[in-house]
């Protein structure tokens, strides 16, 4: 399985990082080795002094698809989740400045948190899901999927032009504003609506 990540999908996050608004979704991949094992803490890697949390709504693909039309995209997923795209921001900035790929800053071991999954049927509208991240009991990120530049079904259509989607693939749909540095002993808790989907300790 693969993790397909979408960057710059919320206008407020684009502004906070002073990035240019894209004309198409920004797509990058993480390997399955990036997944943080269940009940394990996140260890800040020794190659970065500025690892940021980025909370994101996740979608799990349930069947194989290629060149999926947006109107059929809803048939390709049943589960909605929440996770974190950990980013070594200092390393990412160095790579971006040289025009190099981001993988070392985004795809390192443990850089992808995947929380519990919820049935899509729990939601009246997948384009109106509230989600948030607390750091040490303070809300640091909050968003709603309505604010995505490209909605879930549009992302599935776009991504499937380039990559065959397979059972178990996970799409990270982008992060709202409020990303920030994590420190040892921080506790990160992610919520969809009012339900806790993950709790991570930083080491």
């Amino acid at each position: 399985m693969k993790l397909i990540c979408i960057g710059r999908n919320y206008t407020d996050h684009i502004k906070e990082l002073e990035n240019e608004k894209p004309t198409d979704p920004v797509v990058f991949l993480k390997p399955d080795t990036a997944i943080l094992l269940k009940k394990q803490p996140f260890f800040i890697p020794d190659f970065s002094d500025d690892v940021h949390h980025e909370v994101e709504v996740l979608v799990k693909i349930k069947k194989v698809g290629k060149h999926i039309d947006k109107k059929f995209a809803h048939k390709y997923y049943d589960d909605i989740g929440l996770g974190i795209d950990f980013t070594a921001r200092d390393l990412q900035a160095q790579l971006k400045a040289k025009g190099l790929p981001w993988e070392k800053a985004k795809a390192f071991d443990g850089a992808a948190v995947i929380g519990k999954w919820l049935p899509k049927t729990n939601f009246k509208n997948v384009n109106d899901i509230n989600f948030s991240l607390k750091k040490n009991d303070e809300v640091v990120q909050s968003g709603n999927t309505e604010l995505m530049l490209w909605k879930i079904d549009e992302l599935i259509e776009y991504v499937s032009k380039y990559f065959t989607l397979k059972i178990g693939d996970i799409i990270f749909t982008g992060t709202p504003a409020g990303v920030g540095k994590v420190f040892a002993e921080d506790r990160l808790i992610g919520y969809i609506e009012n339900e806790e989907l993950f709790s991570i300790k930083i080491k």
Side-chain angles (χ1 to χ4, degrees):
M1 55 88 75
K2 55 189 174 290
L3 309 179
I4 302 161
C5 303
I6 307 300
R8 304 179 191 175
N9 202 22
Y10 288 84
T11 300
D12 55 356
H13 177 57
I14 294 170
K15 289 178 179 176
E16 78 174 342
L17 293 188
E18 299 180 348
N19 286 323
E20 184 177 324
K21 187 174 179 178
T23 55
D24 293 300
V26 174
V27 180
F28 60 95
L29 302 180
K30 294 188 187 228
D32 57 4
T33 49
I35 297 172
L36 185 66
L37 298 177
K38 298 292 185 186
K39 300 183 179 179
Q40 292 295 309
F42 172 77
F43 289 92
I44 298 171
D46 58 8
F47 53 75
S48 176
D49 293 317
D50 194 23
V51 173
H52 284 205
H53 56 75
E54 297 189 11
V55 71
E56 311 198 11
V57 170
L58 312 182
V59 178
K60 190 190 326 184
I61 300 300
K62 72 170 187 175
K63 63 178 185 176
V64 175
K66 176 72 173 173
H67 294 297
I68 300 165
D69 191 287
K70 182 177 71 173
K71 66 186 177 190
F72 299 121
H74 67 279
K75 298 177 180 289
Y76 286 80
Y77 63 100
D78 283 336
D79 295 313
I80 300 290
L82 196 71
I84 296 177
D85 163 24
F86 278 118
T87 304
R89 192 72 69 203
D90 47 357
L91 181 55
Q92 185 190 35
Q94 295 168 22
L95 295 167
K96 285 168 64 176
K98 296 176 181 178
L100 297 174
W102 297 352
E103 274 74 9
K104 287 191 291 186
K106 287 275 195 180
F108 56 88
D109 290 357
V113 173
I114 297 171
K116 289 193 306 183
W117 294 98
L118 301 174
K120 182 173 63 174
T121 52
N122 281 17
F123 307 99
K124 290 182 180 178
N125 181 359
V126 296
N127 295 323
D128 185 16
I129 298 174
N130 291 301
F131 62 102
S132 60
L133 181 72
K134 284 186 178 179
K135 181 167 76 170
N136 305 327
D137 296 323
E138 177 187 354
V139 176
V140 289
Q141 287 189 268
S142 61
N144 185 293
T145 53
E146 180 184 20
L147 300 174
M148 289 179 177
L149 295 177
W150 290 277
K151 305 299 191 287
I152 290 171
D153 290 355
E154 293 172 309
L155 292 175
I156 289 173
E157 178 182 61
Y158 184 81
V159 167
S160 69
K161 292 179 184 177
Y162 301 93
F163 311 112
T164 297
L165 295 177
K166 301 181 77 173
I167 297 169
D169 285 353
I170 295 171
I171 300 176
F172 280 63
T173 61
T175 194
V179 303
K181 184 175 180 177
V182 297
F183 298 88
E185 304 308 317
D186 281 347
R187 169 73 65 179
L188 302 178
I189 303 177
Y191 299 86
I192 282 185
E193 302 300 343
N194 295 314
E195 184 168 353
E196 180 183 314
L197 295 195
F198 65 76
S199 178
I200 301 295
K201 186 77 171 180
I202 307 298
K203 296 286 190 180

